[in-house]
Amino acid sequence: GENVEQHPSTLSVQEGDSAVIKCTYSDSASNYFPWYKQELGKRPQLIIDIRSNVGEKKDQRIAVTLNKTAKHFSLHITETQPEDSAVYFCAASTNAGGTSYGKLTFGQGTILTVHP
Amino acid sequence: DADVTQTPRNRITKTGKRIMLECSQTKGHDRMYWYRQDPGLGLRLIYYSFDVKDINKGEISDGYSVSRQAQAKFSLSLESAIPNQTALYFCATSVGAATRGDTQYFGPGTRLTVL
């Protein structure tokens, strides 16, 4: 099955700096890569996703890049703010017969701390 | 607001007890999932269901069972709880196959402690 590795496990930055979180995946059939943010005591929520036909996607201060050849994708947060402090999870989805795109394999998570 | 809810939110139980965690959704989604979250291990899939008649094991289904009572309800059972099942459990839903990509919406979680 799919295996997703996420690094680093913890990341500490100063407010205004950029933060980068990287993930690698094992299954070359994976074609959907979402990122979830989980604030302390809250549920995970989707913040951005990318599909295999796109190399990069941006949404305000957040961007995701995908390198299908190398089987890795990254989350970039620019101009970080204290409210960006959270656990971030990457995930990958693989076709599963006729029920594709629904079964996510998650990375281990990155605890991001943004210091004021 | 359409949402995903879980009951109970917190539960403390003893080794060997049977326990059921319940998930309900008003989003009208066909797909439902159960995950457990442990520190440093991310979210691991226990079971998933793509419709009422479809139940599938995830990567860590041993010691768990599920029931999909209706489109809106998906329950997770621990037949005989053991301490290493102490974790935060999340239910999630998604709309299903038509589009590429399938956003999952999570419930608030159930914190389970097995003594």
Side-chain angles (χ1 to χ4, degrees):
Chain A
E2 175 67 278
N3 183 51
V4 177
E5 296 288 333
Q6 183 172 345
H7 298 281
S9 57
T10 61
L11 180 59
S12 182
V13 300
Q14 289 295 126
E15 183 176 1
D17 288 349
S18 295
V20 180
I21 302 170
K22 299 181 179 181
C23 290
T24 60
Y25 61 98
S26 61
D27 191 339
S28 57
S30 289
N31 50 16
Y32 173 60
F33 306 93
W35 286 87
Y36 285 78
K37 176 183 180 182
Q38 184 181 24
E39 297 177 354
L40 187 64
K42 301 288 183 64
R43 69 189 80 186
Q45 291 189 298
L46 179 76
I47 54 171
I48 195 167
D49 57 15
I50 191 167
R51 294 162 178 78
S52 59
N53 60 344
V54 176
E56 183 176 3
K57 183 177 179 180
K58 286 185 178 180
D59 183 3
Q60 299 183 349
R61 297 184 298 106
I62 294 173
V64 56
T65 58
L66 171 65
N67 183 327
K68 287 214 69 174
T69 301
K71 290 191 283 188
H72 67 71
F73 56 112
S74 300
L75 178 71
H76 304 254
I77 306 174
T78 59
E79 301 173 19
T80 54
Q81 303 168 1
E83 51 265 39
D84 294 328
S85 296
V87 181
Y88 291 81
F89 294 99
C90 62
S93 180
T94 306
N95 281 343
T99 53
S100 59
Y101 307 112
K103 185 181 165 189
L104 293 174
T105 299
F106 285 86
Q108 297 86 346
T110 297
I111 302 172
L112 173 64
T113 303
V114 180
H115 299 283
Chain B
D1 284 343
D3 204 0
V4 183
T5 57
Q6 293 182 232
T7 55
R9 295 294 311 280
N10 289 282
R11 180 72 182 266
I12 300 174
T13 192
K14 294 182 178 180
T15 297
K17 294 291 188 181
R18 184 179 188 275
I19 185 168
M20 179 181 289
L21 310 183
E22 297 184 333
C23 177
S24 295
Q25 53 113 348
T26 57
K27 289 186 169 295
H29 290 172
D30 285 328
R31 299 183 174 188
M32 298 187 75
Y33 312 80
W34 276 104
Y35 293 92
R36 67 176 277 175
Q37 183 175 21
D38 300 276
L41 295 177
L43 292 151
R44 294 184 291 167
L45 185 63
I46 306 172
Y47 271 94
Y48 61 104
S49 169
F50 284 169
D51 65 43
V52 175
K53 297 180 180 179
D54 176 76
I55 302 288
N56 302 282
K57 292 182 178 180
E59 60 180 298
I60 55 163
S61 59
D62 287 349
Y64 302 94
S65 62
V66 291
S67 173
R68 184 81 184 264
Q69 299 95 327
Q71 185 206 34
K73 295 184 181 298
F74 192 36
S75 299
L76 176 72
S77 292
L78 287 67
E79 297 301 326
S80 180
I82 56 177
N84 76 0
Q85 292 178 312
T86 293
L88 182 58
Y89 290 84
F90 283 102
C91 173
T93 73
S94 65
V95 66
T99 57
R100 298 187 63 189
D102 197 17
T103 302
Q104 293 193 11
Y105 298 86
F106 285 81
T110 294
R111 186 165 295 281
L112 176 66
T113 303
V114 183
L115 301 176

